[in-house]
Amino acid sequence: MSGLIITNPPRAHAEDVEALAGHGVATVHEGMGRRGSLGPGFRPIQQDVRVAGNAVTALCRPGDNLMIHAAVEQCAPGDILVVATTSPSTDGMFGDLFATALQHRGVRGLVIDAGVRDTAGLRAMGFPVWSTVVCARGTVKTTAGSVNVPVVLGGQIVRPGDVVVADDDGVVCVPREQAGAAVRAAEARAAKENATRTAFAGGQLSLDRYGLRETLTQLGVRYRSYEECAPDVRDGTGS
């Protein structure tokens, strides 16, 4: 799909977006049944930042950021700009000038499956970015793409209006229709983890809390004292 700019796509409810931001990527991902993660390739250029927002998507040709310029106009307060390319690209397609324009519009950050540059400036101005590459090499503005169409990043489909949550652990995408359910699942996951944290702080072992001793037994794992083990096992010299 090329040469198309879709305006005013549906968005998730603002209260669900804010609630998901409070839980973070790992909790949301686990709460949704380990779904939605964009994988380890998307890394933050900053630390200790967590954001969530509705996706505005841009599909660009590699080495061409024309459609990012077009996407800026479609961004609203609380959005996150999500950029994909039609084939792999390592060019620095986004920098501090784009971030200045997006900050003015209340955009919360950028997720891009390509390169960014001006990273020191982006950190200084407090505009968070998750990218697959950092590269000083610039781009052209000559080829049509699309804005607010479904894109694929890290094997995940991201549609305009889906909720994107990003922090130090990476990025997760929540389908906009499932945002409320994802909030409830994340809340349940957080409550369970808080109870486990309290138990561990009190000295309970994970082997007992998670019932893993039986799993070890079923797998044939045995306990032996050091003295009971053969010399090659004790010393690591066995083949």
Side-chain angles (χ1 to χ4, degrees), residues 22-130:
H23 288 294
V25 168
T27 300
V28 173
H29 171 62
E30 294 286 349
M32 292 197 305
R34 300 175 67 189
R35 293 181 290 115
S37 171
L38 270 58
F42 290 85
R43 303 307 308 149
I45 66 165
Q46 66 288 314
Q47 291 184 318
D48 301 324
V49 173
R50 178 188 294 166
V51 297
N54 292 292
V56 170
T57 64
L59 181 62
C60 302
R61 299 292 182 179
D64 191 313
N65 68 0
L66 174 63
M67 301 316 293
I68 298 180
H69 290 270
V72 171
E73 184 181 25
Q74 302 305 316
C75 290
D79 287 342
I80 291 179
L81 180 59
V82 177
V83 179
T85 55
T86 55
S87 60
S89 177
T90 58
D91 299 301
M93 299 179 65
F94 185 98
D96 61 353
L97 295 180
F98 270 138
T100 300
L102 291 174
Q103 273 192 334
H104 175 74
R105 303 182 75 85
V107 174
R108 294 177 173 174
L110 169 78
V111 175
I112 180 170
D113 192 2
V116 297
R117 58 184 186 176
D118 304 328
T119 54
L122 292 169
R123 286 190 292 271
M125 64 191 296
F127 188 84
V129 170
W130 286 258

Side-chain angles (χ1 to χ4, degrees), residues 214-229:
E214 182 179 353
T215 301
L216 291 176
T217 299
Q218 292 174 347
L219 293 173
V221 178
R222 299 168 295 161
Y223 286 84
R224 292 290 183 270
S225 70
Y226 182 81
E227 289 77 12
E228 291 175 312
C229 294

Side-chain angles (χ1 to χ4, degrees), residues 113-206:
D113 192 2
V116 297
R117 58 184 186 176
D118 304 328
T119 54
L122 292 169
R123 286 190 292 271
M125 64 191 296
F127 188 84
V129 170
W130 286 258
S131 72
T132 53
V133 181
V134 174
C135 182
R137 185 173 60 244
T139 58
V140 298
K141 303 164 181 61
T142 60
T143 312
S146 293
V147 174
N148 278 334
V149 299
V151 296
V152 178
L153 295 89
Q156 297 290 327
I157 297 175
V158 181
R159 302 168 306 160
D162 285 348
V163 183
V164 173
V165 186
D167 61 19
D168 286 355
D169 293 336
V171 184
V172 66
C173 177
V174 179
R176 58 180 181 262
E177 304 91 345
Q178 300 175 24
V183 170
R184 294 188 291 274
E187 289 172 347
R189 177 76 186 184
K192 179 180 178 181
E193 290 183 348
N194 286 335
T196 299
R197 189 174 294 106
T198 299
F200 287 171
Q204 185 179 22
L205 293 174
S206 57

